[in-house]
Amino acid sequence: MALLEVKNLKQHFITKKGFMGKKTIVKAVDGVDITIDVGQTLGIVGESGCGKSSLARSILRLAEPTSGSIKFNGEEVIGMNSNHMKMLRREMQIVFQDPYASLNPRNTVRQILEAPLIIHSLGDRKERRDLIESLINKIGLRTEQLDSYPHEFSGGQRQRIGLARALALNPKLIIADEPVSALDVSVQSQVLNLMLDLQQDMNLSYMFISHDLSVVQHISDKVAVMYLGKIVEIANVEKLYNNPMHPYTQTLLSAVPIADPMLKRERIILQGDLPSPSNPPTGCSFHTRCPIATKECSEIEPVLEEKLTDHFAACIYV
Amino acid sequence: MVRRITSSPLTLIGLVIVLIIIVCALFAPLIATHSPTEVNLQSKLEAPSTSHYFGTDEVGRDIFSRIVYGTRISLRIGLLVVLIAFPIGTILGAIAGYFGGGVDQIIMRITDVFLSFPGIILAMSIAAALGPSIENVMLALAATWWPWYTRIVRSSVLSIKNAEFIEASRALGANPFRILFKEIIPNSIGPATIQASLDLGFVILAAAGLSFIGLGAQPPSPEWGAMLSNSREILRDAWWAATFPGLAILLTVLGFNLVGDGLNDVLDPKQR
Amino acid sequence: MDVLKFVAKRLLLMIPILIGISMLTFAISNTIPGDPARLILGPKATPEGLESLREKMGLNDPLYIQYGRYMVGITHGDLGESTYSQGPVSSDLIRYSPATFELTLFAMMITLLIGIPFGIISASKKDRMADHFTRLFSLLGVAMPAFWLGLLFLLLFYLKLGILPGSGRLDSGMSPPHHITGMYTIDALLTGNWTVLLSASMHLILPGITLAAVTIGMITRMTRSSMLEVLQSDYVRTAHAKGASENRVLYGHALRNGVMPVITLLGMAFGHALGGSVLVESVFSWPGLGKYAVNAITYLDFPAVMGVTLLIAVMFILVNLIVDTLYFFIDPRLKHN
């Protein structure tokens, strides 16, 4: 059953240069459709600047979406009044990328974990204390560490504290915005495995955003590839990694190192930089860097179509 | 942190000065050798001696005792003015920085107007309008001082308002009030607090200046600025009457300055 | 962007500030406790007399009408009547402002001549004797009550040693030079009146140095910290690395960028000097705006106080505009965007 259903979501930012400057519209998210089922993980991959984080923030309405529909448990989130929205926030939470910026440096871990409970007036003093203690144990830290400040922890520990804060309200969905990108590789797998364990225990759904394809492969059931605010390919993790259809996905995957020196593979190297989302190319937005682009690509805007069973891609040559 | 403060000799000197002033204010009756206001024409215009450490003025009042009692007046002015101006400025600055938009525009244009007067001039005209008294001088100084905090706090709020821990708080459903007071303000008042500790000295200096031109404390109050004003009449005969009250002001301002600079060195990572 | 466009834009931005200033001064004027009509007519006034005077003075009109009248007055140079000098405040301001201008400009000159070199020396000799001495000196300057320093100067150089004059702008009996700018030193210089020039200069020394003490401290500190920042920057380290001499690094590479930010502080220093002039002028009986304002306070002459306040605020804004324009000329980055 679909827990989260996003349809044609758009997030446009208007920026103005200077006092009388010209307005430019940045289409950070430009018509995204995704669904996440209960207990499932949807991975979102793409280069930095492709709109992954904006997508996360607009689903949570941390930035107000421009248009589209977000249904959580069948309820429309966009336009929901603030009381209702506050209730809904107990159901979906976020974990951030930077373990140093995501925790208030002036609060102890106890205060950080208690905040969600106070905001939603949950439990009395004792119940809150018990809950906080069980939370901190769940993420593998000790009760004595509750009265320490964030700077006394390592990056991986802080990230787990951030996870504990997100879990405090017992949510159904956690949106993780590059949760392990700032961590050492050895620590990354600890945090990923913790997330997988918690998913089992608490029947969580994840939307897992990353630019690292192997991390996404490890944790996801389904993967969506984003380019300039749009989804260009979406499929089950096996299908997508074994049979990438969109040329962009193919280039991304060709850059992933493989732990087998015997296996030879052609590497496709992306030409040029990511175009500015305020001035995206016409037609297929990838055509400026696509190895197989033709004249048609700059004219026809491809739509996301089911090319194989449960395997969607947006390219006129697939 | 305490060790880092005390490791700088200048900061240590500042702390000692501030401590001496506080002790003088708290125990003035024990430290003063005479009454601060009692007139004694037999001993007028006496030079500093063992019975009058800093000499006497034109009506025989003991200048040392007056300076000791004066610490009470000056400290009270400094503390009250900062205690009024700091919260007002901080809250307005946090609101302007966090909410942005029209509110920000309005608040910042108002601070621009206040800051386009040299501080002492604005305080002078407000105090003159309200009428000469210490309380009015305090009001006038508070009215002049708050925009500085607004500016400082606003810019530090701008630097943290998009921090992920603020977003986390919003994602948890915290209301703006909670975000402002629990997340934003505690993390952005550092620089303003340093400014406030410097300002304790500068407020005392400004108040003395206003008293000097007749707006603040009125004679026979042992306020340092008023004492200096009074000393002008007897400058030729009694250098001590002009020297010591000014020295008291200088040391007080210096003390708070050194402490503020010390705090700045400790809290500002750039200087470390 | 060219300079004219820059200045025009800044002038445009000044308008709301000037309106704000007029609103603030109007608000202050309206906080005077008591009824102005009763103040004029005295305790024996009849209710009818009070009422008709209030009506005549427009005190019964709504506040925005009173403010409108005030604004119209200001823009026509009407700042009310001084009860002390019995004349229009505006002509008093014209009479007294050259003296204040002369004093503050002189103080700023001393500030730059002393403050910037001291800051540079302090930074280049960081943590050595010269640095410690300069820092102590600037620290004392910033904490110094100028009016007290003035009294000490009077005591020492005028009363005890008798080598410098202690009050006024000229020796008694000397008549001022032909009025050109109203600043005696400059007018004397322009008319070649050397005895007056000498006397006027001597009179400027004590109040000028007193007024400069605080701003010297400010500028020295700013120059020092800005120079230190530049001296630690990569391009200065590169200059060292390629073998440039100590002096070449200091004057050839660091100086320009180190001193530039100090210019932005000049406006503030000038404002400080303008504010300080109120106190210093009253110590040295310097017949400028400050002395006029302090006299006005003593005689409860409120229109005069507000006139000075308004004028000094406008002067402060203009000085800041000049400083910004200056900076625009000096900093190449501003011209290109």
Side-chain angles (χ1 to χ4, degrees), chain B residues 135-250:
Chain B
E135 284 70 27
N136 290 340
V137 158
M138 288 196 276
L139 269 181
L141 288 174
T144 333
W145 236 277
W146 67 268
W148 291 106
Y149 301 117
T150 304
R151 277 217 177 156
I152 296 170
V153 171
R154 176 178 177 271
S155 75
S156 41
V157 167
L158 284 181
S159 71
I160 65 152
K161 81 176 209 185
N162 290 319
E164 289 184 341
F165 72 88
I166 310 278
E167 270 199 312
S169 203
R170 285 171 55 212
L172 288 169
N175 60 36
F177 191 75
R178 186 189 159 90
I179 294 176
L180 210 54
F181 283 90
K182 294 268 178 180
E183 312 280 347
I184 302 245
I185 291 182
N187 282 290
S188 49
I189 54 169
T193 321
I194 293 167
Q195 187 60 44
S197 68
L198 292 169
D199 283 346
L200 280 173
F202 289 130
V203 165
I204 290 173
L205 178 60
L210 292 176
S211 292
F212 183 76
I213 56 174
L215 278 171
Q218 300 299 311
S221 161
E223 199 277 338
W224 300 334
M227 286 169 74
L228 278 178
S229 179
N230 196 42
S231 80
R232 284 192 279 183
E233 315 286 328
I234 50 173
L235 199 56
R236 193 178 293 273
D237 313 305
W239 58 268
W240 51 88
T243 306
F244 293 108
L247 205 57
I249 302 173
L250 175 67

Side-chain angles (χ1 to χ4, degrees), chain A residues 2-11 29-36 42 55 58-59 65-72 74-78 207 229 231 234 304 312:
Chain A
L3 178 67
L4 180 76
E5 201 173 357
V6 173
K7 281 227 172 81
N8 199 18
L9 186 68
K10 291 186 180 173
Q11 173 72 274
V29 178
D30 199 21
V32 165
D33 298 288
I34 48 170
T35 54
I36 301 177
L42 171 70
L55 177 63
S58 60
I59 290 174
T66 311
S67 69
S69 151
I70 303 167
K71 284 208 168 97
F72 188 88
E75 260 185 302
E76 180 57 55
V77 175
I78 293 179
M207 179 169 139
I231 305 253
I234 185 165
L304 195 64
F312 296 79

Side-chain angles (χ1 to χ4, degrees), chain C residues 117-238:
Chain C
F118 268 36
I120 294 170
I121 292 169
S122 190
S124 64
K125 303 258 186 277
K126 186 170 188 284
D127 290 329
R128 275 187 272 167
M129 211 48 213
D131 183 30
H132 290 307
F133 175 77
T134 320
R135 288 176 72 186
L136 182 72
F137 182 79
S138 61
L139 203 59
L140 284 177
V142 171
M144 183 68 69
F147 48 101
W148 176 60
L149 187 66
L151 287 180
L152 293 188
F153 280 167
L154 269 185
L155 198 59
L156 186 65
F157 295 104
Y158 174 63
L159 291 175
K160 297 281 185 232
L161 301 175
I163 50 175
L164 284 170
S167 73
R169 298 174 73 187
L170 285 175
D171 292 341
S172 55
M174 196 176 274
S175 53
H178 180 72
H179 185 102
I180 302 169
T181 60
M183 296 185 245
Y184 288 179
T185 43
I186 291 175
D187 289 354
L189 200 63
L190 291 176
T191 53
N193 194 339
W194 309 120
T195 42
V196 169
L197 178 64
L198 182 69
S199 173
S201 306
M202 294 297 268
H203 279 82
L204 258 177
I205 292 176
L206 286 185
I209 293 176
T210 306
L211 195 55
V214 179
T215 45
I216 290 174
M218 281 169 65
I219 294 289
T220 307
R221 284 181 134 195
M222 177 70 186
T223 311
R224 178 179 182 273
S225 70
S226 155
M227 279 301 285
L228 278 181
E229 207 165 290
V230 170
L231 286 174
Q232 284 158 5
S233 68
D234 286 339
Y235 81 90
V236 169
R237 226 172 316 135
T238 312

Side-chain angles (χ1 to χ4, degrees), chain B residues 112-113 116-118 120-121 124-125 129 202 205 209 212-213 215 228 232 235-236 239 242-243 246-247 249-250 258 261, chain C residues 17 20-21 24 31-33 139 142-143 145 147-148 151 155 159 221 271 275 278-279 282-283 294 297 302 309 313 316:
Chain B
D112 283 350
V113 169
S116 53
F117 294 86
I120 191 97
I121 298 288
M124 175 193 83
S125 64
F202 289 130
L205 178 60
F212 183 76
I213 56 174
L215 278 171
L228 278 178
R232 284 192 279 183
L235 199 56
R236 193 178 293 273
W239 58 268
T243 306
L247 205 57
I249 302 173
L250 175 67
L258 291 174
D261 281 353
Chain C
I17 298 283
I21 287 175
L24 186 56
T31 56
I32 314 170
L139 203 59
V142 171
F147 48 101
W148 176 60
L151 287 180
L155 198 59
L159 291 175
R221 284 181 134 195
V278 172
L279 300 169
S282 105
V283 172
V294 172
I297 288 168
F302 203 67
T309 307
F316 188 24

Side-chain angles (χ1 to χ4, degrees), chain A residues 114-235:
Chain A
E114 199 176 17
L117 306 175
I118 292 175
I119 291 167
H120 290 274
S121 328
L122 299 178
D124 57 26
R125 197 173 272 271
K126 190 184 170 310
E127 285 166 349
R128 288 205 295 262
R129 202 181 62 211
D130 293 345
L131 191 72
I132 290 167
E133 287 177 2
S134 82
L135 266 175
I136 193 102
N137 292 328
K138 219 182 240 175
I139 56 150
L141 294 178
R142 284 170 290 116
T143 319
E144 304 89 79
Q145 291 174 296
L146 275 173
D147 293 304
S148 310
Y149 288 88
H151 68 261
E152 298 170 56
F153 294 91
S154 68
Q157 288 174 321
R158 285 159 168 249
Q159 205 56 316
R160 282 188 263 164
I161 295 166
L163 196 56
R165 172 177 58 194
L167 292 172
L169 296 170
N170 206 3
K172 295 200 175 71
L173 171 69
I174 287 189
I175 296 181
D177 184 8
E178 304 254 17
V180 296
S181 308
L183 305 178
D184 290 343
V185 179
S186 58
V187 184
Q188 285 192 352
S189 56
Q190 287 176 21
V191 173
L192 287 178
N193 289 334
L194 175 66
M195 286 183 73
L196 285 171
D197 290 346
L198 291 166
Q199 183 166 37
Q200 289 281 313
D201 289 354
M202 304 174 72
N203 196 24
L204 290 167
S205 303
Y206 288 135
M207 179 169 139
F208 191 98
I209 297 172
S210 179
H211 63 271
D212 184 335
L213 283 112
S214 29
V215 166
V216 169
Q217 185 177 19
H218 181 65
I219 200 165
S220 309
D221 302 302
K222 210 160 80 176
V223 175
V225 181
M226 249 181 119
Y227 187 80
L228 279 186
K230 291 191 170 88
I231 305 253
V232 295
E233 183 164 3
I234 185 165

